[in-house]
Amino acid sequence: MLGHLLVAPVVLPLLSAAIIVALGDRRRPGACRAVSIGSCLSLVLAAVYLLGWSAIGQPVAYPLGNWPAPYGIVLVLDRLCALMLLLTALLAVAVAWFAAGGWDARGRHFHALFQLQLMGLNGAFLTGDLFNLFVFFELLLIASYGLMLHGGGVRRQRATLHYLVCNLVASTLFLVSASLLYGVTGTLNMADLALQVAAAPLEDASLLRSAGLVLLVVFAVKAAVLPLGFWLRDGYASASPPVACLFALMTKVGIYAIVRTCTLMFGAEAGGDANLAGEWLVPVGIATLAMASIAALACRNLAELAACLVVTSVGSMLIGAGVLSAQGLSAALFYMVHSTFAVALLFLLAGEIAHERGALGSDLLPGPPLRPGHLAPLFLFAAIAVSGLPPGGGFIAKVGILQGAIDGSWTALSWMAIFASSLLVVVALARSGSMLFWRPLGSSVTAASAGAAAGLPRASAGPSWFLATALLLLLVGARPVQQFMDATGAQLLDPAGYVDAVIQRDLIGPPDLIGPGDDRLRTRGGVPEVAPSAAPSAAPPAAPPGARGA
C-alpha cells in the first residue's frame, strides 16, 4: 500500500486543484486557501517519507496501470527525485502561505493554477520517460503563464509574452529531439534509452549525438543558461512576489533534466556518445555566472536583483555539476537547495518591502523609512546566504564546488568566476541594502497607508521566517545533508541501479510473448522485430506483472 504513495505528489495537487475550482475562489476564498495550504503540507509529509525511502535503498520503479517499461508509463524514485520533491513541497508551503495574505485575490484561480504547477513540477521529477517529461513540462508551463499574468498590468503581459514565445520554441525543439531519439532507438523511456544509446551502431552515433544536443539546448532554455536566459529577469521581476518565489524553482527543473541527460541517457557508458556536452557545461556555467553577476550591479529594484541571483545560482551549479564527478554533483545539489531557499526569501522580502514603500515598490531609490522589525535582519541573513559568505550554508556549498572544480580542465577560470561573482553579488546586495534601509527620505507616510494607497495586499512575515528557518536548518544539519548529497552524486554516476529498477535487461518485449532471458524480440523504430522461429502465438497478452521494487 505504501508503494502507491509514489503517485501522491502528482495526484494530490490534481485533486486539490479540482476541489478549489469546485469551491470557487471568489465564493469561498478561505476554503480555497485552506485546501491549498493543506495540500502543500500533505506534500511535505509525502516527500519526507519518499526521501527516507530513497535513502535506504536502490531506485524504485512504479509502472502505472501495471504495464512494464518500456511499454508502459513508469514513475521512478531515486535520491535526486526525492530531494527535488521535498524542495518543491517546502517552497510550496511558503508560497501558499504568503499568497493567502491577499496576493491571491488580485486575480482569479491563483490556487488552482498553483496546484497544477505543483503537479507539473512533481511529475517532471518523477517521470521515467521523455514523452511524459514533455507533458509535465507543458502542464507546468501553462500554469506558469496564468500565474505570471496574475494581477494584470502591461509589464506582466509583455514579460509573459517573451516567456511564452521562448518556451514555445523550446517545446518545439523538445518534440524534434524526442522524435529523433525515438526514430533511432525505438523508445523514449530514459532507462531504456541508456541501454539503446550504449548499444547503438556506429552509423547512428552522430544522429543520436545531434538529438541529445538539441535536448540539452531545450533544457538550457528552461534553466536560463547564457545566452538562452535573457527572458528571465523581466519575467521573474514583474511577477507577483509569491509567484516569483515559486519560479525560483523553475530553473532547477532545467538543471535537473541536464543532470539526468548527462548521467543517465548519455552517461559514461553511452559508447561513442558518452559524456555528451560534458566539456561544454563548465565553460557555459562560467559565462552564465559572469554575465549574471555583472547584470546584478545594474538592477533597478530588489525583485530584479533576486532574478539575477537566480541566474548566478544556475551558473554555479553548472560549474559544479559539469565536472560530472561525485564531489562536484554533491556540491551542486547542496548549492541548489540552499540558493533556492535564499533567492525565494529575497523575492518574499521584496514583496514585503513593496508593501511598506507603497508606489515606490522595491525600487532602489530613497523612500519612506521602513518600520523597525524583521525586514532588515532577514535581508542581511538572506544576503549572507545567497552571496556565499561565511558562516552561511552557501559558503559550504561554494567551497564544495571549488573543490570539485579541481578535477576539471577549467579549474583556474572556475575559481576566478566564483570568487569574482561572490564579490560582485556582495557589492550589489550592499548597494540595495543601503538604499532600502539606510537612506530614508524621512517621509511621514506610514507603511500601512503606503501599501493601501498603492493597492498592495498586506504581506505576512511568517513565510519569510519559514524560509529563513529552512536555511538555518540546512546550515545546522550541513553534515548529514552533505552525506545525503554525496550518496546522491554517487548514485547519479552509477545509473545501473536506476536502469535495473525500470528495465529487466534480459527482457525486451511483452512478458507473455517472450520469457526472461529470451533474446528473440527487439524493437527498432518502435516496431517489434520477431525472428520467424519466435513468432508468438495468437493468445492475447496476459496481465502484466506487478510493480517491480515498489
Side-chain angles (χ1 to χ4, degrees):
M1 179 62 186
L2 289 177
H4 298 297
L5 191 63
L6 196 57
V7 300
V10 177
V11 174
L12 192 57
L14 177 62
L15 292 177
S16 301
I19 293 172
I20 290 169
V21 170
L23 288 173
D25 54 358
R26 292 296 173 91
R27 296 194 304 272
R28 300 182 181 86
C32 291
R33 289 167 182 166
V35 171
S36 185
I37 294 175
S39 170
C40 295
L41 292 174
S42 301
L43 286 176
V44 171
L45 296 178
V48 168
Y49 175 79
L50 294 177
L51 187 77
W53 192 8
S54 71
I56 59 176
Q58 292 295 315
V60 177
Y62 185 93
L64 295 179
N66 232 9
W67 284 97
Y71 301 98
I73 297 173
V74 62
L75 303 181
V76 188
L77 177 74
D78 65 352
R79 286 173 173 269
L80 177 59
C81 172
L83 175 68
M84 300 305 295
L85 291 176
L86 182 58
L87 178 62
T88 304
L90 290 173
L91 199 64
V93 171
V95 172
W97 188 357
F98 192 90
W103 293 93
D104 53 356
R106 306 191 79 190
R108 301 193 65 181
H109 307 305
F110 176 90
H111 289 288
L113 292 170
F114 170 60
Q115 293 296 326
L116 289 176
Q117 181 155 20
L118 291 182
M119 176 191 173
L121 287 167
N122 291 338
F125 297 139
L126 275 170
T127 186
D129 66 87
L130 283 180
F131 178 75
N132 284 289
L133 182 63
F134 172 80
V135 171
F136 284 119
F137 267 8
E138 293 308 301
L139 180 61
L140 71 90
L141 286 173
I142 291 171
S144 69
Y145 300 149
L147 289 173
M148 188 175 281
L149 283 170
H150 185 77
V154 175
R155 187 185 177 193
R156 281 180 187 155
Q157 292 176 3
R158 185 171 55 246
T160 303
L161 180 62
H162 295 165
Y163 177 71
L164 189 151
V165 170
C166 289
N167 281 287
L168 283 180
V169 172
S171 298
T172 304
L173 291 176
F174 197 157
L175 285 179
V176 171
S177 174
S179 301
L180 283 173
L181 287 172
Y182 187 77
V184 176
T185 64
T187 183
L188 287 179
N189 181 280
M190 290 191 280
D192 198 30
L193 270 173
L195 299 176
Q196 300 293 343
V197 170
L202 188 60
E203 59 266 26
D204 289 340
S206 58
L207 196 55
L208 284 173
R209 176 170 287 269
S210 301
L213 288 174
V214 173
L215 197 62
L216 284 175
V217 169
V218 174
F219 298 148
V221 174
K222 310 291 185 187
V225 173
L226 188 80
L228 305 173
F230 58 89
W231 54 270
L232 187 142
R233 193 179 77 166
D234 286 343
Y236 283 24
S238 62
S240 63
V243 174
C245 177
L246 180 63
F247 282 4
L249 185 67
M250 293 280 280
T251 53
K252 279 57 176 188
V253 183
I255 297 293
Y256 168 87
I258 289 174
V259 170
R260 279 278 186 238
T261 303
C262 293
T263 58
L264 177 61
M265 292 179 284
F266 294 93
E269 298 178 356
D273 294 314
N275 297 323
L276 181 71
E279 60 185 10
W280 292 101
L281 292 180
V282 175
V284 168
I286 292 172
T288 302
L289 181 61
M291 292 305 297
S293 302
I294 295 172
L297 295 174
C299 290
R300 298 164 297 180
N301 59 54
L302 186 57
E304 283 187 2
L305 177 57
C308 285
L309 296 181
V310 170
V311 186
T312 61
S313 68
V314 168
S316 299
M317 282 184 282
L318 279 181
I319 292 174
V323 182
L324 294 178
S325 67
Q327 185 177 19
L329 284 168
S330 170
L333 294 177
F334 192 106
Y335 186 76
M336 177 177 66
V337 176
H338 183 275
S339 63
T340 301
F341 284 139
V343 174
L345 174 58
L346 276 179
F347 276 124
L348 293 191
L349 291 177
E352 291 190 67
I353 291 171
H355 177 76
E356 294 270 333
R357 289 160 54 98
L360 274 177
S362 64
D363 289 352
L364 302 181
L365 296 170
L370 300 173
R371 286 182 300 176
H374 67 283
L375 285 178
L378 276 187
F379 178 83
L380 179 62
F381 179 77
I384 292 174
V386 78
S387 58
L389 293 176
F395 176 74
I396 299 173
K398 285 195 173 181
V399 169
I401 291 175
L402 291 173
Q403 291 175 336
I406 293 177
D407 298 333
S409 56
W410 295 84
T411 304
L413 277 179
S414 299
W415 281 51
M416 288 174 57
I418 290 176
F419 280 123
S421 166
S422 300
L423 178 62
L424 293 177
V425 169
V426 168
V427 171
L429 287 167
R431 168 176 167 263
S432 303
S434 63
M435 192 66 72
L436 293 171
F437 296 100
W438 291 343
R439 296 183 60 185
L441 287 176
S443 169
S444 60
V445 177
T446 64
S449 61
L456 295 174
R458 64 181 174 84
S460 170
S464 300
W465 282 110
F466 176 79
L467 291 177
T469 304
L471 283 169
L472 194 60
L473 290 176
L474 199 59
L475 175 62
V476 173
R479 183 169 180 78
V481 172
Q482 189 64 63
Q483 289 173 344
F484 181 87
M485 301 302 184
D486 291 344
T488 303
Q491 188 179 69
L492 287 171
L493 294 177
D494 183 18
Y498 186 102
V499 174
D500 287 340
V502 179
I503 304 285
Q504 292 181 18
R505 291 173 187 257
D506 56 354
L507 174 61
I508 304 178
D512 60 308
L513 298 181
I514 294 180
D518 196 324
D519 198 32
R520 291 172 295 177
L521 180 61
R522 289 286 185 272
T523 59
R524 187 73 174 169
V527 179
E529 294 180 348
V530 184
S533 61
S537 67
R548 291 193 298 270

